[in-house]
Amino acid sequence: MAPSARVIKLGRRYKYLAAAALALLLVQGLVVWSFSALEEEEADMNAQQRKNRSPDKAEHSKDPDNSAGRRAWRSRGKAGRSGSEVARVAREANPRSKLSTRLHVPQETWHNLTRDGDTGSVEGPHPTDRIFTPKCDVKGKDALSALSRATTQKCQQEIADIVCLHQLGQIIPKSLPRYCQTTGKITPGLQWEESDVGAPPPEDPLRIVYMLVVHGRAVRQLKRLIKAIYHKDHFYYIHVDQRSNYLHSEVVQLAQQYTNISVTPWRMITIWGGASLLTMYLRGMQDLLEMSDWPWDFFINLSATDYPTRTNEELVLFLSKYRDKNFLKSHGRDNARFIKKQGLDRLFHECDSHMWRLGERQIPEGIVVDGGSDWFALTRKFVKYVTYTQDVLVSELRRFYKYTLLPAESFFHTVLENSHDCDTLVDNNLRVTNWNRKLGCRCQYKHIVDWCGCSPNDFKPQDVVRLQQLSRPTFFARKFESSVNQEVLDILDAHLFGEPVPGTPGLKGYWENVYHSMEGQRALTDVTMTAYESFTRLALRELQSPEQLNRKRSCSFAPDGFSSAVEIYFYDDHFQGYLVTQKVHPSSTLEFWMIPRGSFRIVDQTGAANRIQSLEVGTEWDPKERIFRNFGGLIGPMDEPVAVQKWSHGVNVTVTVVWIDPTYIIAASYDISVDSEADFTQYKPPLSRPLRPGVWKVRLLHFWELLAEVKFFVIPLTYRNKEPLQGGDRWLHAGPSRGQYMEQNFQALSGILNLPPRVEVEQEANRRSELLGKDLEKWTDDGLSSFWSIGGVCTKTASSFCPSLPICSDTHWSSMSPDPKSELGPAGHDGRSR
C-alpha cells in the first residue's frame, strides 16, 4: 500500500503541472492549425511548379480591379478544441484564475510556439513577457490563433479586447440608414470622346490635389512621376511610410523647392490590406481641407508605381466637364461573392504591422456594400463629407471599416453608394491596372495578413497595347517599376511629351539606392556589410595594382569609415552591378562600379535539351515578375537560395537538378518536369544551414548527361549581428551538422557526377572556417573577386592625389552623372517642369 500512497501523493502534487502542459500543447496545436492551410497552399503551388503546368501564359483576368484574393485559411472540421475548452484548461492549470484569466507563458516556450522566424510582422519579432489579461473567455479558432502568434503584449491585449467587445455585439452595427433614393446599385459609366482631345481649355479649369502614398527606395522613379504630372496650378501632398527614412529625406528636400509640393508632417506604417491605409487617407484629407492656400477641387491618390497615360491638360478638360462626379471602380454586380472574396464578413485587427483575422461577423443591414479598387478621383464636396460629417452612416461605417481587411477598397464606395450623393458615382477610377492573376495571386502577403491577396503585374513594352484598346476614359496606369522595366516609361514619355533630344544623357540608365549612411547600419545585413566592405577593398587595391605603378603614390587611398551609399545600376533594363560611394583618405569621395561576372554555361544543346535558356541561383525570387529581387545575388551562409531555370517552348522534358557544395558534398538532387509551353521552373530545396562558404555549383542534367551548370558564391561573413566575427562564431563557416544538407544522403551520386575526392578540399575548408580578422577578409575578397570585377572608379570632385581619375558627373555610369528624366526644375511658361 505504501508505494500506491506515494504514487497518489505525487499525482496530486503534479496534476496542475500536467494540466499546464496540456494547455500549452493545445495552444501549439492552434498555431500549427493556423499556418497549415497557408503552407499547404504554398506547397501545392511549389508542387504545381515542379510539375510545371506553366503559369506564364498571359491571361488578363476578367475579375474586377481589386486586390483581394481568397482566404488564407480553410475551415477544418476537426482542427482542435473549442476556444472555451482551451480557456477552461488554461484556468484549470491555475486554480486562482477567474474569468479574466491572466496568462503567462515562459519566453522560451513561446519562442518555440510562435516561430520567431515567421512572425508575420514586417518589422520582425518583438520580445515580450507574454502576460496579458483577457476581459472575457476568448472563443473562436481565429482569435485564439491570433493571440498565440501576436508578438507583443500590447497587440495581444488589443486582440483580446476587440474579440471580447465583438462577442458582446459592441463592434459591428447591426443596421445602418441608406440615404440614397435610388433602388439597387448605382454604377453609371462615361464614354471617352476622342473628339474632346485638343478642345480649348475650360474657362474655369479645376485644380487637382494629388496625394502620393509612397514607400521603399525608388526616389528617381518617384521624381519621374512627379515631373510627368507636375503643373504649377495643381498640388502634391506626399506621405512617406515611416520605415522609408531615406526616401523621406529625399522627398523633403524636393518639397522645399516648390510651394505646391508638401510632405505630411506625420508618418504612419501602412501595410498591404491594413486598416492604417484608410486612417492615413482620412487624416491626409483633413489636412488638405484645412490648407486654405491650396484651393483644390479634386482629390486623386497615386503611388510611386503609377504613371500618367494622358497629359495634365486632357485630365483637367475631362474633370472640368464632369466636375460633380466621383470616380471609383466597382467590383461588378455579384455582391455576395465580393463580400466573401474580400473578407468583409470577417473581423480583422491591425497591430504588430500585421492584419489578424479574428473571426466571423455580420454585414450591417439596410445598406448596399460595394468596393473594388482603392485608387480613385473624388470631389472636394465628397471628401469634405467623409471627413467632417457626423451622420450615423459615415461614423458607423468608419467604425466598421476600422476592423476590415483592405478597407480603402470598399469604404469610399460604400459611403457614396448609400449617401444622398449616390448619383455622382461613376464606375471608373480613370486608370488601368495590369492584372495577370495567374502570376499575381500567389498568397504573397501571408507574412503580413491572414488572407491571400493579389498584386498587379508591372507593365512592360508588350503591354502598352492594352492602353490603346480601352473604350473607357483612363488617365493613369499601374504598376511600373524602373528596376524591372524602364523602356515602357520611355514609350509613355515619348507619347505624352515627344521624343527626347538626341544626345540626352542618362536615358537608358536607372539608379536605385539600396543603402545610405543616414540610416545607419540597421539598414544593412551581415551579408551586405561584408560584401560592400570587400568591394571597397578590391577597388582600392585595383588603384594600386602593378598595371598602374606610374600613379601608385598618388592613388593610394585608405577608406574613411563604412561606405556612405550603395546604388544598384541598370542600363537598357539589364542589371549592371553595384555602385559603392566611399569617403577615403586623403580627403576625397570615390565611387566604385562593381560588375557581376557571369558563371552560367550551356554544355549540350542537342535534342530536347536545347530548350534551356538560363539557369540562375539567388534569393528573393519574385514569381510574379520572375526576377530575383536580390539583384546582385549576394548570398550568405544563413540564406535560402532558389534555383530558377528559363526555357524556350518545345517538347516535354524531365531534367535533374543537382546542388554541389564547395567540398563536393551533394547537397540536393531532384527532378523537374518541364511542360512544352513552360517558360520558367523554380524550386528552393530545404537545405540545412549554415551553408558552407565558397563556390557552389548547380548542375542541370538530362538522363545524367550534363546540360548546363551555374556557379554561385556563398560569402564568408566578416560580420555577425553587425559586429566583427569572433572565435565563437566559427560554426557559421563550418557547414551543416553531420556533413549533409538534407535528411537524404546523395553522395552515392558522386561517381555518376565524376566528382573528385573530398578529403583535401574538406581539410582546407575546415581550416578556412577558423579564419578571423585580415585572413578572413582575404578569403572573402578572393572569393568575391572571382564573381565581380571593377568596372570603373571615379571621384566626386577633382583629386590632386589622383588627377587621372575621372569626375563622376562626367561618366555615363556613376550615380552622380546627369539623369534629366528624373530631375525637376522650375516651372516653365506652360506651368510644367520638363
PDB file of all heavy atoms in Angstrom, residues 1-13:
ATOM      1  N   MET A   1       0.822  -1.211   0.000  1.00  0.00           N
ATOM      2  CA  MET A   1       0.000   0.000   0.000  1.00  0.00           C
ATOM      3  C   MET A   1       0.859   1.265   0.000  1.00  0.00           C
ATOM      4  O   MET A   1       0.469   2.279  -0.500  1.00  0.00           O
ATOM      5  CB  MET A   1      -0.925   0.015   1.231  1.00  0.00           C
ATOM      6  CG  MET A   1      -1.979  -1.075   1.204  1.00  0.00           C
ATOM      7  SD  MET A   1      -3.067  -0.914  -0.219  1.00  0.00           S
ATOM      8  CE  MET A   1      -3.925   0.585   0.247  1.00  0.00           C
ATOM      9  N   ALA A   2       2.056   1.182   0.628  1.00  0.00           N
ATOM     10  CA  ALA A   2       2.901   2.381   0.710  1.00  0.00           C
ATOM     11  C   ALA A   2       3.262   2.940  -0.670  1.00  0.00           C
ATOM     12  O   ALA A   2       3.149   4.137  -0.909  1.00  0.00           O
ATOM     13  CB  ALA A   2       4.142   2.077   1.527  1.00  0.00           C
ATOM     14  N   PRO A   3       3.692   2.060  -1.575  1.00  0.00           N
ATOM     15  CA  PRO A   3       4.004   2.596  -2.895  1.00  0.00           C
ATOM     16  C   PRO A   3       2.816   3.276  -3.548  1.00  0.00           C
ATOM     17  O   PRO A   3       2.946   4.318  -4.180  1.00  0.00           O
ATOM     18  CB  PRO A   3       4.461   1.363  -3.690  1.00  0.00           C
ATOM     19  CG  PRO A   3       4.949   0.420  -2.633  1.00  0.00           C
ATOM     20  CD  PRO A   3       4.060   0.633  -1.462  1.00  0.00           C
ATOM     21  N   SER A   4       1.612   2.688  -3.398  1.00  0.00           N
ATOM     22  CA  SER A   4       0.419   3.277  -4.012  1.00  0.00           C
ATOM     23  C   SER A   4       0.154   4.653  -3.439  1.00  0.00           C
ATOM     24  O   SER A   4      -0.234   5.585  -4.147  1.00  0.00           O
ATOM     25  CB  SER A   4      -0.787   2.356  -3.790  1.00  0.00           C
ATOM     26  OG  SER A   4      -0.550   1.118  -4.423  1.00  0.00           O
ATOM     27  N   ALA A   5       0.337   4.800  -2.122  1.00  0.00           N
ATOM     28  CA  ALA A   5       0.099   6.103  -1.481  1.00  0.00           C
ATOM     29  C   ALA A   5       1.066   7.149  -2.024  1.00  0.00           C
ATOM     30  O   ALA A   5       0.691   8.298  -2.259  1.00  0.00           O
ATOM     31  CB  ALA A   5       0.247   5.960   0.032  1.00  0.00           C
ATOM     32  N   ARG A   6       2.343   6.720  -2.198  1.00  0.00           N
ATOM     33  CA  ARG A   6       3.312   7.688  -2.729  1.00  0.00           C
ATOM     34  C   ARG A   6       2.942   8.106  -4.150  1.00  0.00           C
ATOM     35  O   ARG A   6       3.079   9.268  -4.532  1.00  0.00           O
ATOM     36  CB  ARG A   6       4.716   7.076  -2.710  1.00  0.00           C
ATOM     37  CG  ARG A   6       5.337   7.059  -1.302  1.00  0.00           C
ATOM     38  CD  ARG A   6       6.837   6.850  -1.388  1.00  0.00           C
ATOM     39  NE  ARG A   6       7.189   5.546  -1.949  1.00  0.00           N
ATOM     40  CZ  ARG A   6       7.331   4.450  -1.201  1.00  0.00           C
ATOM     41  NH1 ARG A   6       7.157   4.500   0.110  1.00  0.00           N
ATOM     42  NH2 ARG A   6       7.653   3.308  -1.762  1.00  0.00           N
ATOM     43  N   VAL A   7       2.483   7.136  -4.931  1.00  0.00           N
ATOM     44  CA  VAL A   7       2.072   7.465  -6.305  1.00  0.00           C
ATOM     45  C   VAL A   7       0.924   8.464  -6.303  1.00  0.00           C
ATOM     46  O   VAL A   7       0.902   9.446  -7.067  1.00  0.00           O
ATOM     47  CB  VAL A   7       1.679   6.181  -7.074  1.00  0.00           C
ATOM     48  CG1 VAL A   7       1.024   6.549  -8.403  1.00  0.00           C
ATOM     49  CG2 VAL A   7       2.902   5.311  -7.299  1.00  0.00           C
ATOM     50  N   ILE A   8      -0.053   8.215  -5.413  1.00  0.00           N
ATOM     51  CA  ILE A   8      -1.197   9.133  -5.342  1.00  0.00           C
ATOM     52  C   ILE A   8      -0.747  10.520  -4.945  1.00  0.00           C
ATOM     53  O   ILE A   8      -1.186  11.533  -5.484  1.00  0.00           O
ATOM     54  CB  ILE A   8      -2.253   8.587  -4.347  1.00  0.00           C
ATOM     55  CG1 ILE A   8      -2.862   7.300  -4.924  1.00  0.00           C
ATOM     56  CG2 ILE A   8      -3.329   9.638  -4.071  1.00  0.00           C
ATOM     57  CD1 ILE A   8      -3.741   6.566  -3.935  1.00  0.00           C
ATOM     58  N   LYS A   9       0.162  10.575  -3.960  1.00  0.00           N
ATOM     59  CA  LYS A   9       0.656  11.861  -3.475  1.00  0.00           C
ATOM     60  C   LYS A   9       1.388  12.617  -4.600  1.00  0.00           C
ATOM     61  O   LYS A   9       1.211  13.818  -4.786  1.00  0.00           O
ATOM     62  CB  LYS A   9       1.590  11.634  -2.292  1.00  0.00           C
ATOM     63  CG  LYS A   9       2.050  12.936  -1.623  1.00  0.00           C
ATOM     64  CD  LYS A   9       2.876  12.616  -0.398  1.00  0.00           C
ATOM     65  CE  LYS A   9       3.315  13.919   0.294  1.00  0.00           C
ATOM     66  NZ  LYS A   9       4.118  13.639   1.506  1.00  0.00           N
ATOM     67  N   LEU A  10       2.231  11.877  -5.365  1.00  0.00           N
ATOM     68  CA  LEU A  10       2.923  12.503  -6.484  1.00  0.00           C
ATOM     69  C   LEU A  10       1.941  12.989  -7.547  1.00  0.00           C
ATOM     70  O   LEU A  10       2.109  14.050  -8.140  1.00  0.00           O
ATOM     71  CB  LEU A  10       3.925  11.529  -7.107  1.00  0.00           C
ATOM     72  CG  LEU A  10       5.185  11.239  -6.273  1.00  0.00           C
ATOM     73  CD1 LEU A  10       5.977  10.106  -6.901  1.00  0.00           C
ATOM     74  CD2 LEU A  10       6.048  12.493  -6.172  1.00  0.00           C
ATOM     75  N   GLY A  11       0.915  12.168  -7.780  1.00  0.00           N
ATOM     76  CA  GLY A  11      -0.092  12.568  -8.771  1.00  0.00           C
ATOM     77  C   GLY A  11      -0.775  13.854  -8.385  1.00  0.00           C
ATOM     78  O   GLY A  11      -1.005  14.735  -9.215  1.00  0.00           O
ATOM     79  N   ARG A  12      -1.129  13.987  -7.088  1.00  0.00           N
ATOM     80  CA  ARG A  12      -1.757  15.237  -6.646  1.00  0.00           C
ATOM     81  C   ARG A  12      -0.803  16.416  -6.796  1.00  0.00           C
ATOM     82  O   ARG A  12      -1.183  17.513  -7.185  1.00  0.00           O
ATOM     83  CB  ARG A  12      -2.185  15.107  -5.189  1.00  0.00           C
ATOM     84  CG  ARG A  12      -3.385  14.173  -4.995  1.00  0.00           C
ATOM     85  CD  ARG A  12      -3.643  13.962  -3.512  1.00  0.00           C
ATOM     86  NE  ARG A  12      -4.789  13.087  -3.294  1.00  0.00           N
ATOM     87  CZ  ARG A  12      -5.122  12.561  -2.112  1.00  0.00           C
ATOM     88  NH1 ARG A  12      -4.356  12.837  -1.050  1.00  0.00           N
ATOM     89  NH2 ARG A  12      -6.176  11.791  -1.991  1.00  0.00           N
ATOM     90  N   ARG A  13       0.468  16.159  -6.470  1.00  0.00           N
ATOM     91  CA  ARG A  13       1.444  17.250  -6.492  1.00  0.00           C
ATOM     92  C   ARG A  13       1.639  17.796  -7.906  1.00  0.00           C
ATOM     93  O   ARG A  13       1.840  18.987  -8.114  1.00  0.00           O
ATOM     94  CB  ARG A  13       2.770  16.747  -5.947  1.00  0.00           C
ATOM     95  CG  ARG A  13       3.870  17.845  -5.918  1.00  0.00           C
ATOM     96  CD  ARG A  13       5.135  17.328  -5.298  1.00  0.00           C
ATOM     97  NE  ARG A  13       4.914  16.897  -3.905  1.00  0.00           N
ATOM     98  CZ  ARG A  13       5.853  16.290  -3.168  1.00  0.00           C
ATOM     99  NH1 ARG A  13       7.044  16.048  -3.691  1.00  0.00           N
ATOM    100  NH2 ARG A  13       5.595  15.923  -1.917  1.00  0.00           N
TER     101      ARG A  13
END
